[in-house]
Amino acid sequence: MRILVIEDEQKLTEYLRQGLTESGYTVDMAFNGIDGKHLSIEGDYDLVLLDVMLPGIDGYGVLNALRKVKTVPVLMLTARDKVEDRVRGLQEGADDYLIKPFAFSELLARVQALLRRGVSSTAGQSTVMQLGDLEIDLLKRKAFRSNNRLDLSAKEFALLALLMQRQGAILSRTLIAEQVWDMNFDSDTNVVEVAVRRLRAKIDEPYAVKLLHTVRGMGYVLELRP
């Protein structure tokens, strides 16, 4: 599997390259946001390690550009430890967030979990699911409505996949936070609401038949209603 490391601290980048290579991964490196943006979009990677503070374009800029075209898992690295910084990264499409300094063993565990999640989510089941004119391919990580390709971020795709896998069931914000973000739900954050709103704008608003519904005080459900 190939991993792209976008990090301007060359000692840290070499440390990550050596550790990940010894763990069996092929590693490419970029030392600024401009090169990182180009490589992440043009290259074929299974995972991107992305620093927030980068010269040229910061990590959020790289992430925004990447999420317009790809759903590759992204693990953000940052020295910022404020909750709002972590929430911002998750809201903008990061799959996980690791604060510097960190132990390599923890980073490796998170890398393995993200890569394993992509494989296990399709194991033992059909990779294509449908609800009305909405279709999602879990293996190819593509979604369509009325044969129109939906431009979804990695988190939006993960959220849609969860809803499709449990269509007809009401999913609480707590469950969604745990399943999609691997985080304990914090009632002071609106990361789930923001993700649902963005997903709804893409899968429902352009169409007459609405599929994603809010159940007041309980959560969200994906289903066809008469």
Side-chain angles (χ1 to χ4, degrees):
M1 289 188 170
R2 294 183 67 196
I3 295 176
L4 174 63
V5 177
I6 308 174
E7 167 64 63
D8 64 322
E9 295 181 32
Q10 295 201 17
K11 287 185 178 180
L12 176 57
T13 305
E14 178 57 29
Y15 169 72
L16 294 175
R17 185 201 64 78
Q18 181 177 347
L20 291 169
T21 300
E22 291 175 354
S23 300
Y25 300 103
T26 300
V27 182
D28 290 339
M29 298 176 290
F31 300 100
N32 60 70
I34 296 173
D35 292 341
K37 173 184 172 182
H38 173 76
L39 285 174
S40 63
I41 291 175
E42 298 298 327
D44 184 16
Y45 295 100
D46 298 290
L47 181 78
V48 175
L49 299 182
L50 176 61
D51 185 30
V52 172
M53 300 299 293
L54 292 167
I57 305 173
D58 70 12
Y60 297 124
V62 174
L63 181 61
N64 285 332
L66 179 61
R67 282 295 173 250
K68 292 178 181 178
V69 294
K70 288 187 175 181
T71 59
V72 57
V74 174
L75 171 57
M76 297 199 80
L77 309 176
T78 181
R80 298 176 175 178
D81 58 359
K82 293 183 179 179
V83 172
E84 53 265 34
D85 292 321
R86 180 171 183 250
V87 169
R88 179 184 176 186
L90 295 172
Q91 287 177 334
E92 296 195 15
D95 296 271
D96 202 353
Y97 204 94
L98 188 58
I99 297 172
K100 302 176 185 176
F102 51 79
F104 179 77
S105 58
E106 180 182 4
L107 178 133
L108 183 60
R110 290 176 183 247
V111 165
Q112 292 170 338
L114 288 173
L115 293 173
R116 186 168 58 247
R117 186 187 307 167
V119 173
S120 63
S121 66
T122 62
Q125 61 182 5
S126 172
T127 64
V128 178
M129 306 178 70
Q130 284 188 296
L131 177 64
D133 60 350
L134 176 64
E135 179 179 297
I136 179 173
D137 189 319
L138 298 173
L139 183 61
K140 296 180 179 178
R141 298 183 67 83
K142 295 180 180 179
F144 301 85
R145 178 109 197 240
S146 295
N147 295 319
N148 297 314
R149 174 76 180 271
L150 301 175
D151 180 20
L152 303 179
S153 71
K155 283 304 178 188
E156 289 164 355
F157 185 90
L159 174 57
L160 178 58
L162 176 65
L163 290 163
M164 284 287 277
Q165 289 166 337
R166 305 191 186 187
Q167 57 185 266
I170 300 172
L171 306 186
S172 68
R173 292 188 296 169
T174 300
L175 184 147
I176 291 172
E178 291 173 349
Q179 294 292 317
V180 177
W181 281 272
D182 282 343
M183 61 185 287
N184 293 326
F185 181 69
D186 183 347
S187 60
D188 291 333
T189 68
N190 64 345
V191 62
V192 174
E193 290 88 341
V194 169
V196 169
R197 184 168 65 247
R198 289 177 176 173
L199 180 62
R200 180 177 281 133
K202 295 178 180 181
I203 71 169
D204 267 356
E205 290 183 4
Y207 304 95
V209 177
K210 308 306 178 186
L211 299 175
L212 180 52
H213 308 280
T214 300
V215 182
R216 188 178 299 276
M218 298 180 68
Y220 306 96
V221 59
L222 191 72
E223 64 180 358
L224 274 172
R225 292 183 173 179

